[in-house]
Amino acid sequence: MIALALLLAGGAATGCGGRATTHHKPGTTHEQASGKVGTLLTADDGAGHRLREVPAEGAPEVRLAARPDSEDGWNLQLTVTNFHFTPDSVGGAALPGAGHAHLELDGRKLARLYGPWFHLPAAQVPSGGPHTLTVRLYADDHTAWAVAGKPVEATLQLAPGSAQPTHSHSPAQSPPPAQADRTVTITVREGKVSPAPGRVEVTRGERVALRVTSDRADTLHVHGFDKELALPANQEATLTLTADRTGLYEVETHESHLVLTQLLVK
C-alpha cells in the first residue's frame, strides 16, 4: 500500500503523466500544456514554420499601421485581438492566443517582435518601391497561427518617400556626437563577437549608442529596456537608448542567440 501511494504521488507531481512543463499552470489542460492546440498542418509559412490551424471563431487577429517618425523612418503599430505577446515563454509549448510576431519587408524577415510597437529605420528600406510590409503571428513553439489554411497576418504598402531620414544612415557615417554620451561598437562574424563580450559601465541617465555590424540578418535586443533593432546582413545598425535605470542588462541577438555585451548602469 505504501509503495502504491508513493507511485500515485509521483504521477501527480508531473501533472498529466509525463514530463512536467513550465506552461502547465492551474486551469490549463493537458492539450494546451503539450502544445496540441489546434491542428498542425503540413503546409508552412514559406520559411519553414509549420501552420497551426485554429477555428475562425476566437482566432488571433492582427492589424498593422505605419506612421512616419519625426526623426527617421517609421513607427509601426500592431493591433492584436485574441492574442497577447509572451516574450518570457518563447520556445515553449503553443498556448491559445499567445506568442510573438515576425516582421517582413517584401518577403524578407526583418525582425521578431515581442510587443505592439517597432521602429523601422529608413536605412532598412531600399530605395524605390512601393514595398510590402507583412506581420505574422506565431505561437511560442514557432508554429504560425493559421485560419482556413492561411497564416494570421496583415500587410501594408509602404510608399517610397513617405518618410525621409533627417541624417545619414550610411554604414561609414558616424551618428552626430550629440546623439549619445557613449558609443559601443560591436562586430559579429561567423558566430563570433568582437570585441569579446564584457561589461560596459554606464552612469544612470547617459545616452548609449550600440553600433552593431553582423554578417547575417538578425535582431538586436536589450533586455530590461525592451529595445529591439533589425540587423541587416553586413550593414551597420545603431540603437540608441537612455540608461534610465540601474542594474545589469544583457545585449543579445535573437536569431543567433549571442550575448554581445552587458550594460552595467550605476
Side-chain angles (χ1 to χ4, degrees):
M1 291 295 290
I2 294 175
L4 178 59
L6 290 173
L7 180 61
L8 291 175
T14 60
C16 40
R19 183 174 63 86
T21 170
T22 56
H23 289 301
H24 206 199
K25 300 175 182 179
T28 302
T29 67
H30 172 76
E31 179 185 51
Q32 294 169 337
S34 59
K36 295 181 180 178
V37 176
T39 303
L40 198 59
L41 306 181
T42 56
D44 63 36
D45 64 347
H49 301 275
R50 292 178 65 182
L51 303 185
R52 183 177 294 277
E53 182 162 317
V54 292
E57 184 176 356
E61 299 177 16
V62 61
R63 296 190 302 276
L64 178 63
R67 305 174 185 175
D69 184 83
S70 59
E71 181 179 344
D72 168 54
W74 298 263
N75 292 315
L76 309 182
Q77 181 183 17
L78 282 65
T79 303
V80 295
T81 306
N82 301 323
F83 183 85
H84 62 283
F85 292 95
T86 52
D88 293 336
S89 302
V90 64
L95 295 181
H100 55 276
H102 288 186
L103 177 67
E104 296 181 353
L105 177 67
D106 299 332
R108 175 176 61 88
K109 182 180 175 181
L110 290 181
R112 185 190 296 173
L113 309 184
Y114 292 105
W117 287 96
F118 183 81
H119 177 247
L120 177 62
Q124 305 289 324
V125 181
S127 58
H131 300 282
T132 301
L133 282 173
T134 301
V135 64
R136 188 176 301 117
L137 298 184
Y138 291 80
D140 284 331
D141 67 349
H142 302 288
T143 54
W145 293 113
V147 173
K150 296 182 178 180
V152 175
E153 62 183 33
T155 60
L156 177 71
Q157 292 295 309
L158 204 59
S162 60
Q164 297 294 332
T166 57
H167 54 269
S168 173
H169 283 263
S170 168
Q173 180 74 32
S174 299
Q179 256 195 332
D181 301 303
R182 184 186 299 265
T183 299
V184 181
T185 302
I186 301 170
T187 301
V188 180
R189 187 168 299 280
E190 297 181 352
K192 296 182 179 180
V193 180
S194 179
R199 290 186 179 180
V200 178
E201 292 193 8
V202 178
T203 301
R204 183 176 180 179
E206 278 190 319
R207 293 273 290 171
V208 181
L210 299 169
R211 301 175 63 180
V212 181
T213 304
S214 172
D215 61 353
R216 54 168 289 183
D218 213 318
T219 303
L220 178 70
H221 181 211
V222 184
H223 285 279
F225 288 91
D226 295 325
K227 296 288 187 179
E228 290 191 357
L229 178 69
L231 298 176
N234 298 309
Q235 181 178 337
E236 184 180 87
T238 301
L239 186 154
T240 303
L241 60 88
T242 300
D244 56 1
R245 66 201 73 175
T246 58
L248 182 63
Y249 306 98
E250 283 194 344
V251 180
E252 66 169 12
T253 56
H254 271 314
E255 304 303 322
S256 54
H257 306 290
L258 296 173
V259 175
L260 304 185
T261 191
Q262 293 179 323
L263 298 180
L264 179 59
V265 186
K266 297 182 176 181

